[in-house]
């Protein structure tokens, strides 16, 4: 088969360069990471997983991405975990709150699964973050969330203290990041060679506090880099909003 015959055979599948579109992503502000990832940031229409202990910087990365999304006039949602995010300290750290919703995580895992589905089904949010407990979602649940994230074109990010998953469960996530003591490791990223590490020096300064500081982001961030912390006590959101449009 010559070149002309090949072109004719594959004509219906060929596209011009201007017709090709890179899948959308949400920039994290970490330029080295954004340049490396196929989406230019966290993938939209997909699931991402951040693995790391409290104080590893995983919430910092999510918050930096969220701040950029809000600055673009779009909404984000956060499902609180062991250390609730404080609206007061988020405000002091420069995170806009006008399009930020924080929700108390249900104790029942089935209710959590339902909540994530409802948040995506609302079509209100560009980015959703959720702190998992000592277990991952079951694979069939994760696959349902994956399909719904694709349909809603939302970036769903799950955060966990468990080790990086392997096998079929790992394949559900388009992006898996591992937050270690000295580096951030891309464990899985579609269309990119992995693992790929980045030095810890890339972690964000403006979203960091002492690991023992219960104000704001509390123990889920790295060492403090500012000279003073807020004198106010911790604040949390004990109840979910009554409607999808109510912000913090």
């Amino acid at each position: 088969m010559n070149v002309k015959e090949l072109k004719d055979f594959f004509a219906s599948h060929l596209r011009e360069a201007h017709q090709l579109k890179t899948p959308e992503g949400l920039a994290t502000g970490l330029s080295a990471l954004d340049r490396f990832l196929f989406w230019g940031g966290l993938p939209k229409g997909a699931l991402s997983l951040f693995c790391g202990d409290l104080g590893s910087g995983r919430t910092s990365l999510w918050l930096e991405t969220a701040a950029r999304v809000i600055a673009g006039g779009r909404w984000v949602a956060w499902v609180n975990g062991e250390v609730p995010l404080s609206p007061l300290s988020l405000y002091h750290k420069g995170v806009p709150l006008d399009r930020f919703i924080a929700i108390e995580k249900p104790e029942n895992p089935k209710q959590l699964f339902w909540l994530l589905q409802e948040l995506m089904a609302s079509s209100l949010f560009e980015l959703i973050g959720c702190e998992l407990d000592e277990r991952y979602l079951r694979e069939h649940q994760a696959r349902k969330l994956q399909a719904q994230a694709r349909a809603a074109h939302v970036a769903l990010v799950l955060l966990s203290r468990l080790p990086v998953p392997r096998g079929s469960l790992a394949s559900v996530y388009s992006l898996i990041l591992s937050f270690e003591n000295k580096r951030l490791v891309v464990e899985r990223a579609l269309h990119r060679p992995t693992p790929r590490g980045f030095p810890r020096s890339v972690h964000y300064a403006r979203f960091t506090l002492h690991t023992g500081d219960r104000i704001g982001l509390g123990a889920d961030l790295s060492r403090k880099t500012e000279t003073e912390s807020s004198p106010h006590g911790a604040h949390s959101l004990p109840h979910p909003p009554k409607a999808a449009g109510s912000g913090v």
Side-chain angles (χ1 to χ4, degrees), residues 22 95 112 125 179 183:
T22 303
V95 180
L112 174 60
F125 304 103
F179 293 77
R183 62 178 187 158

Side-chain angles (χ1 to χ4, degrees), residues 60-234:
S60 303
L61 185 63
W62 188 89
L63 279 173
E64 179 67 25
T65 308
R68 292 169 179 271
V69 171
I70 297 171
R74 295 160 292 175
W75 287 79
V76 304
W78 172 263
V79 181
N80 274 320
E82 183 178 345
V83 181
L85 297 185
S86 159
L88 178 62
S89 69
L90 291 178
Y91 171 80
H92 285 309
K93 290 295 175 183
V95 180
L97 299 179
D98 55 337
R99 290 180 173 83
F100 186 108
I101 290 180
I103 303 170
E104 189 71 13
K105 183 172 70 175
E107 294 183 3
N108 189 318
K110 291 183 179 180
Q111 292 179 335
L112 174 60
F113 177 61
W114 172 85
L115 174 61
L116 293 174
Q117 288 183 304
E118 289 298 303
L119 289 173
M120 289 190 287
S122 71
S123 300
L124 175 64
F125 304 103
E126 193 93 350
L127 172 66
I128 299 171
C130 177
E131 182 82 50
L132 296 177
D133 56 15
E134 68 279 359
R135 75 193 91 178
Y136 286 120
L137 292 170
R138 294 182 178 180
E139 185 175 336
H140 74 276
Q141 293 176 320
R143 293 198 179 278
K144 286 184 179 180
L145 293 178
Q146 178 193 42
Q148 190 161 357
R150 184 183 301 114
H153 203 50
V154 61
L156 175 59
V157 180
L158 304 179
L159 292 80
S160 175
R161 299 173 64 181
L162 296 176
V164 175
R166 305 296 178 188
S168 58
L169 179 57
S171 68
V172 178
Y173 299 96
S174 297
L175 174 65
I176 299 178
L177 300 181
S178 176
F179 293 77
E180 301 179 355
N181 289 332
K182 295 184 179 181
R183 62 178 187 158
L184 167 64
V185 180
V186 181
E187 300 283 358
R188 172 179 168 82
L190 295 184
H191 312 298
R192 291 294 182 266
T194 55
R196 172 69 179 272
F198 297 89
R200 265 298 296 267
S201 59
V202 301
H203 283 194
Y204 304 101
R206 74 186 182 100
F207 290 121
T208 56
L209 296 171
H210 278 307
T211 55
D213 190 344
R214 305 302 293 181
I215 297 175
L217 309 186
D220 195 17
L221 297 175
S222 53
R223 63 186 181 84
K224 181 179 177 182
T225 57
E226 301 193 10
T227 56
E228 293 182 340
S229 60
S230 169
H232 302 281

Side-chain angles (χ1 to χ4, degrees), residues 44-64:
K44 292 181 61 177
L47 268 63
S48 297
L49 179 65
F50 292 1
C51 296
D53 292 328
L54 294 177
S56 62
R58 52 194 184 143
T59 304
S60 303
L61 185 63
W62 188 89
L63 279 173
E64 179 67 25

Side-chain angles (χ1 to χ4, degrees), residues 20-26 37-44 153 191:
L20 300 178
K21 183 179 179 181
T22 303
E24 290 186 72
L26 302 176
L37 296 176
F38 182 60
W39 316 273
L42 305 184
K44 292 181 61 177
H153 203 50
H191 312 298

